[in-house]
């Protein structure tokens, strides 16, 4: 019996060591573990430019323009050839699918888009304002992932909306300011809500050198 218990303890120790090793390896990754960040590579044959229009832009209101400059870690130098991937819910607060989705579209839905910055570091997405999840406890948000030429992909703070009543001070405190604050203040510009956010690569990103 004693031998059996010893074998059991040995197995338990080995298993926990293995999981610790796995965790340590994952943590070496820039930005830490990220489920679904690899969706940034799912743009297929699309030739990426610094401007993209997301699906269903025409059918939805309020229309939204997300724009700004991506900077290197110094916060001053425009960062070129950086891919940004965003996805968000529809006006019902769900990640809509059409059926037959492949890859991460099965989770993220089809309201998604990609840009690649040019030498000015600027980006623009044309889309519409997402709704909060139907349970109404999580603020409206747009997920965003970054891929720099020489680093692995990592996520930054979601875009959130300063005038969203669900974005309480408690929710604001949960944000980590990865890449800088993602809280935008949309303002009407030519009939379209325009939200500006500059992104600083590596800011508050673990293991970033
Ligand atoms: Fe979400």
């Amino acid at each position: 019996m004693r031998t059996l218990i010893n074998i059991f303890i040995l197995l338990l120790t080995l298993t926990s060591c293995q999981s610790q090793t796995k965790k340590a390896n994952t943590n070496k990754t820039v930005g830490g573990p990220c489920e679904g960040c690899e969706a940034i590579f799912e743009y297929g044959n699309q030739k990426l430019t610094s401007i993209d229009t997301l699906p269903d832009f025409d059918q939805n209101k309020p229309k939204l323009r997300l724009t700004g400059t991506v900077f290197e870690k110094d916060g001053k130098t425009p960062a070129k050839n950086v891919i940004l991937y965003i996805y968000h819910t529809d006006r019902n607060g769900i990640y809509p699918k059409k059926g037959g989705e492949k890859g991460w579209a099965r989770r993220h839905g089809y309201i998604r888009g990609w840009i690649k910055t040019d030498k000015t570091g600027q980006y623009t997405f044309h889309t519409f304002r997402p709704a909060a999840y139907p349970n109404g406890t999580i603020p409206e948000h747009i997920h965003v992932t970054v891929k720099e030429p020489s680093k692995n992909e990592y996520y930054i703070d979601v875009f959130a909306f300063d005038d969203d009543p669900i974005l309480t001070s408690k929710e604001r405190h949960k944000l980590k300011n990865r890449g800088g604050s993602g809280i935008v203040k949309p303002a009407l510009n030519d009939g379209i809500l325009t939200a500006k956010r500059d992104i600083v690569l590596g800011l508050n990103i673990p293991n970033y050198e």
Side-chain angles (χ1 to χ4, degrees):
M1 187 65 186
R2 205 178 170 83
T3 324
L4 269 177
I5 291 171
N6 281 340
I7 291 173
F8 179 71
I9 290 172
L10 181 70
L11 277 174
L12 206 66
T13 317
L14 282 175
T15 321
S16 67
C17 281
Q18 266 179 355
S19 63
Q20 273 174 8
T21 315
K22 263 186 197 162
K23 206 173 173 187
N25 285 341
T26 318
N27 284 343
K28 277 181 190 163
T29 313
V30 169
C34 178
E35 195 190 10
C37 272
E38 60 268 36
I40 201 163
F41 299 110
E42 293 182 341
Y43 53 87
N45 298 325
Q46 202 179 322
K47 171 140 179 48
L48 302 186
T49 66
S50 60
I51 302 174
D52 191 31
T53 300
L54 273 67
D56 292 0
F57 171 73
D58 289 333
Q59 298 94 306
N60 286 286
K61 280 198 277 194
K63 298 193 190 307
L64 181 69
R65 179 191 291 124
L66 296 174
T67 190
T69 304
V70 182
F71 291 106
E72 302 287 356
K73 183 84 193 288
D74 64 9
K76 292 179 194 158
T77 314
K80 63 179 178 185
N81 296 328
V82 177
I83 300 174
L84 299 181
Y85 164 69
I86 66 167
Y87 70 97
H88 63 79
T89 56
D90 62 11
R91 295 298 301 155
N92 297 314
I94 58 161
Y95 295 105
K97 285 118 199 160
K98 291 178 173 169
E101 270 80 8
K102 294 194 172 74
W104 282 96
R106 287 174 290 192
R107 291 270 294 277
H108 298 177
Y110 67 85
I111 311 293
R112 54 192 204 145
W114 293 259
I115 63 91
K116 187 190 244 183
T117 57
D118 57 21
K119 60 178 189 274
T120 66
Q122 287 171 63
Y123 74 91
T124 301
F125 287 107
H126 292 111
T127 186
F128 58 91
R129 188 161 168 164
Y133 296 154
N135 65 16
T137 56
I138 296 173
E140 300 164 15
H141 60 280
I142 297 176
H143 294 275
V144 50
T145 305
V146 171
K147 174 74 181 79
E148 304 176 38
S150 60
K151 300 231 176 345
N152 64 266
E153 62 282 9
Y154 59 89
Y155 70 93
I156 58 174
D157 267 25
V158 292
F159 288 88
F161 300 87
D162 194 54
D163 59 358
D164 178 357
I166 314 177
L167 189 64
T168 57
S169 56
K170 192 181 161 198
E171 289 295 328
R172 288 170 197 255
H173 279 105
K174 284 185 195 166
L175 299 167
K176 305 266 191 267
N177 287 332
R178 289 172 63 117
S181 171
I183 301 174
V184 293
K185 293 183 180 176
L188 265 184
N189 211 312
D190 309 327
I192 180 166
L193 278 179
T194 301
K196 192 169 177 295
R197 175 191 185 180
D198 290 340
I199 293 166
V200 180
L201 298 173
L203 184 63
N204 301 318
I205 302 297
N207 303 319
Y208 195 95
E209 281 153 31

